[in-house]
C-alpha cells in the first residue's frame, strides 16, 4: 500500500473513531492556508518533495502560511522578510524545537544541543561547543589536520586517475569529512577509501540519516506512538545505540590510556584532541557536563557534520560539471595564487578566492542541505504580520523556496555564481536572503567549520583535476532529481571520471 493510500485509509478510520474536524476556534486568526481534510489535515499536500510542494502552495497563500499536518499546527515561512521576523525580531519566542519521535529514542532529545529547549542546559552545551570545538582559535590550530586529510583525498583520486576508476564524488567527500571529524575529535580514522571492512561506521551514519529523514506517521498522529507502524523508531534505536556504543568504547579506551599513562590526570601525552579536552571538563564537574552529554554531542556532530558537507560538495561539483566554464573560471582563480608555489589551497587563502566563495554561496542557495532547516517551535502564542502563531506550533522555514524566489533573485533557477561577486551577501545569519545554516540563537554552531571544509575540499578537486562523465555523456543530461530527507541529497549519486591536470 503506497503512502497516500495509507493516509486516506487512516483518515477514514480515525474519522469514524473521533469524528474530528479541522476547524478550531482560533483558525480564523491563523495565517492563510489550503483546505484541511478531517484528521489528516494537509498531509496529502506534502507529496514526495515537500519543499517543492510547499513552495508551490506559498505562491497561492503567501509567504506566511498555515497547515495542519495530522494533529500538528504548522506555520510555513517562505520569504526573507518574514524569516527575519521569526528568527530575529521574535527569535526567543520561536527558539524552541519541534522534536520528532525518532529524536526521542535513546533519550537523545534530553542531551542533544540540537533538540534541547534554549535554556540553561542548552546554553552550557552551546558554550562548550563553541569554546572547545569551533572557536577560531581551535579551528586555526587544527588547520594542519584538515590539510593532511585533503591531501589524502587528492592522492586517492590521483590513484583513480591512474587505474581508470570512476569516483563517487559524494562518497569520497563523506569519507574525507568523516575522517576529519574523527581525527579532530578522537585522533583516529573512522573509514578508508578502499577498505570495505572500515565502512561500518559510515554505513551506520548513512542508515541513521536515511531512516530519520523519512516522514513518520507517529509525528502526525501521536496516538500511533506505541504501534510504530513504519518501524522507524525501532530502526533509529538500533542505529543510534550502535553509534553511542562506539563513542562509549572510545571514551573507555581513552580513560584507560590516561590512567595507565605516567602523565598527570588531565594532561595528554600525545595530543589535545576534542575528547581529551572534554574529558578534562567532565572530570572537573560532571554535574555540568556528563558523559551522556558528551556522547550525545558526538552523535549530533557526526550526524549533522558529515552529510551536510558531503551533499553540498556533491551538488557543487554537479553544477560545475554542468557548467564547465564556471569550473574553469574557478580553477584559473586558484592557480593564479597556487601554481608558482606548487602548493595546495589553504584555509588562509579562502578570502582571496571570490569566485570560489561565490560558487559555494550559489550552491547553498540552490541546494540548501536542510531545505526546512531544523523545525522550530513556538514557546507561547505570538502575533506575526497580524496573524496568530499558536503555542507549540511547528515552524518550517522553507529556505529552498526562498533561494528560488524570483522576487528576490534574478533567474533563480540558473546556476550563476557571479551574482555573488561585488555584493555584501553571506550565509552567516545576518542576511536573511541566504540562511542555509539558520539564523538567530539556533544558527548552526559548526558553520565556520563547514565554511572552511567546503572551500578547501571543492577548491582541491577543481585545482588538481578536470572531470567528465562516463561514456561521453552530456553534462546537461545529468539527473538533477532530489531525495528529500534530513538533508537534500541527489537522487542519483554523482559518478565522474577525474583527469589529472
Amino acid at each position: 500500500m503506497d503512502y497516500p493510500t495509507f493516509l486516506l485509509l487512516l483518515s477514514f478510520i480515525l474519522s469514524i473513531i473521533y469524528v474530528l474536524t479541522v476547524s478550531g476556534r482560533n483558525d480564523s486568526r491563523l495565517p492563510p492556508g489550503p483546505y484541511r481534510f478531517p484528521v489528516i489535515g494537509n498531509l496529502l499536500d506534502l507529496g514526495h518533495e515537500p519543499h517543492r510542494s510547499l513552495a508551490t502552495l506559498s505562491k497561492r497563500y503567501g509567504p506566511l502560511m498555515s497547515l495542519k499536518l495530522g494533529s500538528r499546527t504548522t506555520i510555513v515561512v517562505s520569504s526573507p522578510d518574514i524569516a527575519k521576523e521569526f528568527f530575529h525580531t521574535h527569535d526567543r519566542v520561536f527558539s524552541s524545537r519541534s522534536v520528532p519521535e525518532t529524536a526521542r529514542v535513546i533519550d537523545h532529545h534530553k542531551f542533544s544541543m540540537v533538540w534541547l529547549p534554549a535554556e540553561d542546559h542548552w546554553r552550557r552545551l552551546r558554550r562548550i561547543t563553541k569554546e572547545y570545538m569551533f572557536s577560531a582559535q581551535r579551528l586555526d590550530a587544527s588547520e594542519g589536520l584538515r590539510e593532511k586529510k585533503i591531501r589524502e583525498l587528492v592522492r586517492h583520486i590521483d590513484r583513480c586517475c591512474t587505474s581508470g576508476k570512476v569516483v563517487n564524488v559524494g562518497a569520497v567527500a563523506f569519507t574525507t569529512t568523516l575522517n576529519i571529524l574523527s581525527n579532530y575529535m578522537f585522533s583516529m580514522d573512522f573509514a578508508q577509501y578502499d577498505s570495505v571492512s572500515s565502512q561500518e561506521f559510515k554505513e551506520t551514519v548513512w542508515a541513521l540519516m536515511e531512516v530519520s529523514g523519512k516522514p513518520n506517521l507517529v509525528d502526525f498522529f501521536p496516538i500511533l506512538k506505541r504501534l510504530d507502524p513504519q518501524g522507524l523508531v525501532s530502526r533509529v534505536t538500533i542505529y543510534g545505540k550502535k553509534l553511542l556504543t562506539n563513542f562509549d568504547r572510545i571514551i573507555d579506551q581513552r580513560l584507560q590510556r590516561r590512567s595507565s599513562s605516567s602523565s598527570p590526570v588531565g594532561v595528554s601525552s600525545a595530543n589535545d584532541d576534542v575528547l581529551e579536552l572534554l574529558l578534562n571538563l567532565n572530570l572537573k564537574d560532571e554535574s555540568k557536563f556528563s558523559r551522556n552529554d558528551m556522547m550525545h554531542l558526538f552523535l549530533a556532530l557526526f550526524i549533522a557534520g558529515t552529510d551536510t558537507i558531503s551533499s553540498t560538495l556533491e551538488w557543487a561539483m554537479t553544477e560545475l560539471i554542468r557548467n564547465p566554464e564556471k569550473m574553469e573560471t574557478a580553477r584559473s582563480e586558484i592557480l593564479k595564487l597556487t601554481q608558482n608555489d606548487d602548493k595546495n589551497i589553504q584555509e588562509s587563502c579562502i578570502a582571496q578566492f571570490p569566485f570560489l566563495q561565490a560558487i559555494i554561496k550559489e550552491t547553498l542557495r540552490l541546494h540548501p542541505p536542510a531545505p526546512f532547516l531544523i523545525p522550530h517551535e513556538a514557546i507561547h502564542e505570538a502575533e506575526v504580520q497580524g496573524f496568530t502563531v499558536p503555542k507549540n506550533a511547528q515552524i518550517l522555514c522553507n529556505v529552498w523556496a526562498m533561494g528560488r524566489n524570483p522576487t528576490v533573485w534574478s533567474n533563480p533557477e540558473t546556476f550563476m555564481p557571479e551574482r555573488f561577486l561585488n555584493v555584501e551577501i553571506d550565509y552567516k545569519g545576518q542576511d536573511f536572503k541566504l540562511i542555509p545554516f539558520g539564523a538567530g540563537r539556533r544558527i548552526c554552531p559548526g558553520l565556520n567549520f563547514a565554511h572552511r571544509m567546503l572551500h578547501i575540499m571543492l577548491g582541491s578537486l577543481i585545482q588538481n583535476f578536470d572531470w567528465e562523465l562516463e561514456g561521453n555523456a552530456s553534462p546537461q543530461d545529468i539527473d538533477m532529481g532530489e531525495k528529500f530527507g534530513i538533508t537534500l541529497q541527489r537522487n542519483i549519486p554523482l559518478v565522474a571520471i577525474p583527469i589529472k591536470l
Side-chain angles (χ1 to χ4, degrees), residues 227-500:
L227 298 177
D228 188 21
Q230 297 159 272
L232 299 181
V233 171
S234 60
R235 290 164 66 190
V236 167
T237 301
I238 293 171
Y239 298 133
K241 284 184 176 179
K242 194 172 186 178
L243 292 176
L244 288 181
T245 299
N246 274 325
F247 296 137
D248 202 34
R249 175 179 49 81
I250 291 170
I251 293 171
D252 279 338
Q253 290 173 346
R254 180 64 61 87
L255 288 172
Q256 184 176 4
R257 192 190 322 167
R258 283 164 62 120
S259 65
S260 62
S261 171
S262 58
S263 301
V265 174
V267 178
S268 170
S269 59
N271 49 51
D272 281 326
D273 56 23
V274 170
L275 176 57
E276 197 72 23
L277 299 174
L278 294 184
L279 282 174
N280 291 341
L281 184 64
N282 168 254
L283 293 172
K284 182 179 179 181
D285 190 347
E286 188 172 1
S287 66
K288 291 187 176 180
F289 187 66
S290 69
R291 183 159 173 157
N292 270 327
D293 289 329
M294 193 186 315
M295 291 197 300
H296 285 271
L297 181 59
F298 290 143
L299 179 61
L301 291 173
F302 274 95
I303 296 300
T306 50
D307 201 62
T308 53
I309 292 174
S310 59
S311 64
T312 299
L313 184 128
E314 186 178 16
W315 279 115
M317 284 296 297
T318 301
E319 293 288 4
L320 289 175
I321 291 174
R322 295 179 76 238
N323 296 272
E325 74 284 356
K326 314 290 187 188
M327 184 183 293
E328 187 55 41
T329 299
R331 182 180 295 122
S332 298
E333 178 183 73
I334 294 169
L335 291 177
K336 282 180 183 179
L337 188 66
T338 60
Q339 65 180 355
N340 293 333
D341 299 321
D342 191 27
K343 63 183 181 182
N344 291 318
I345 183 173
Q346 297 178 325
E347 292 175 9
S348 58
C349 299
I350 291 174
Q352 301 177 54
F353 300 131
F355 197 75
L356 180 63
Q357 292 183 75
I359 288 172
I360 296 297
K361 291 177 183 177
E362 181 72 342
T363 302
L364 290 169
R365 178 188 72 83
L366 278 170
H367 310 287
F372 292 129
L373 302 178
I374 297 176
H376 288 237
E377 184 177 271
I379 295 174
H380 57 73
E381 184 178 291
E383 183 175 307
V384 178
Q385 297 273 314
F387 296 104
T388 295
V389 177
K391 179 181 179 180
N392 298 328
Q394 177 178 242
I395 315 298
L396 299 181
C397 183
N398 195 345
V399 292
W400 184 92
M402 288 163 54
R404 296 171 185 252
N405 188 334
T407 66
V408 178
W409 307 97
S410 60
N411 301 312
E413 301 292 334
T414 304
F415 182 74
M416 293 172 49
E418 54 271 19
R419 75 173 77 240
F420 288 104
L421 298 176
N422 303 316
V423 295
E424 297 293 328
I425 299 178
D426 63 33
Y427 43 70
K428 296 186 177 181
Q430 300 302 312
D431 195 318
F432 284 81
K433 292 180 181 178
L434 190 67
I435 52 170
F437 297 97
R441 67 192 69 197
R442 284 291 191 172
I443 193 169
C444 174
L447 189 157
N448 290 330
F449 176 82
H451 171 82
R452 297 183 186 216
M453 282 289 300
L454 286 169
H455 286 88
I456 60 171
M457 200 185 307
L458 180 63
S460 296
L461 296 185
I462 294 171
Q463 176 190 12
N464 293 282
F465 308 98
D466 200 4
W467 298 82
E468 63 182 34
L469 301 176
E470 289 184 278
N472 294 319
S474 169
Q476 300 309 312
D477 292 335
I478 294 178
D479 188 321
M480 298 297 285
E482 301 158 331
K483 182 167 61 176
F484 181 84
I486 289 181
T487 57
L488 197 61
Q489 298 180 336
R490 287 183 46 76
N491 194 37
I492 298 177
L494 175 66
V495 177
I497 302 171
I499 302 170
K500 182 70 175 177

Side-chain angles (χ1 to χ4, degrees), residues 61-274:
Y61 297 102
L64 180 60
M65 179 173 63
S66 66
L67 304 173
K68 196 77 169 182
L69 302 181
S71 63
R72 195 72 189 268
T73 297
T74 300
I75 306 298
V76 183
V77 176
S78 303
S79 79
D81 291 342
I82 295 178
K84 187 174 183 179
E85 281 207 49
F86 274 82
F87 308 127
H88 178 72
T89 307
H90 302 291
D91 182 32
R92 191 191 67 79
V93 177
F94 301 118
S95 64
S96 193
R97 286 296 194 202
S98 175
V99 183
E101 195 59 37
T102 51
R104 297 180 185 275
V105 301
I106 56 177
D107 286 336
H108 187 54
H109 66 297
K110 296 180 180 179
F111 300 99
S112 172
M113 184 174 59
V114 176
W115 303 110
L116 281 167
E119 297 170 356
D120 289 346
H121 193 188
W122 173 83
R123 280 189 286 270
R124 186 161 51 249
L125 290 175
R126 183 88 178 189
R127 187 165 54 250
I128 289 169
T129 303
K130 180 179 180 180
E131 180 177 351
Y132 293 96
M133 298 182 188
F134 300 130
S135 67
Q137 182 180 4
R138 286 291 301 166
L139 290 176
D140 287 345
S142 59
E143 180 177 354
L145 163 63
R146 291 186 290 279
E147 289 181 354
K148 176 185 176 183
K149 293 301 170 184
I150 294 296
R151 287 195 298 271
E152 291 177 6
L153 168 64
V154 171
R155 284 198 295 269
H156 169 70
I157 297 177
D158 206 14
R159 290 193 295 271
C160 292
C161 289
T162 302
S163 61
K165 291 176 60 177
V166 297
V167 171
N168 183 320
V169 175
V172 297
F174 189 97
T175 297
T176 303
T177 307
L178 177 61
N179 282 339
I180 287 175
L181 272 174
S182 64
N183 276 274
Y184 188 42
M185 302 293 173
F186 310 125
S187 301
M188 65 174 69
D189 282 343
F190 273 1
Q192 300 294 326
Y193 294 105
D194 297 316
S195 173
V196 175
S197 62
S198 70
Q199 300 300 301
E200 183 179 3
F201 187 94
K202 185 167 83 170
E203 290 172 358
T204 303
V205 171
W206 261 342
L208 183 58
M209 292 207 64
E210 180 184 5
V211 175
S212 300
K214 293 177 183 281
N216 190 356
L217 287 171
V218 175
D219 292 327
F220 307 132
F221 306 104
I223 194 174
L224 300 176
K225 179 177 179 178
R226 292 188 177 183
L227 298 177
D228 188 21
Q230 297 159 272
L232 299 181
V233 171
S234 60
R235 290 164 66 190
V236 167
T237 301
I238 293 171
Y239 298 133
K241 284 184 176 179
K242 194 172 186 178
L243 292 176
L244 288 181
T245 299
N246 274 325
F247 296 137
D248 202 34
R249 175 179 49 81
I250 291 170
I251 293 171
D252 279 338
Q253 290 173 346
R254 180 64 61 87
L255 288 172
Q256 184 176 4
R257 192 190 322 167
R258 283 164 62 120
S259 65
S260 62
S261 171
S262 58
S263 301
V265 174
V267 178
S268 170
S269 59
N271 49 51
D272 281 326
D273 56 23
V274 170

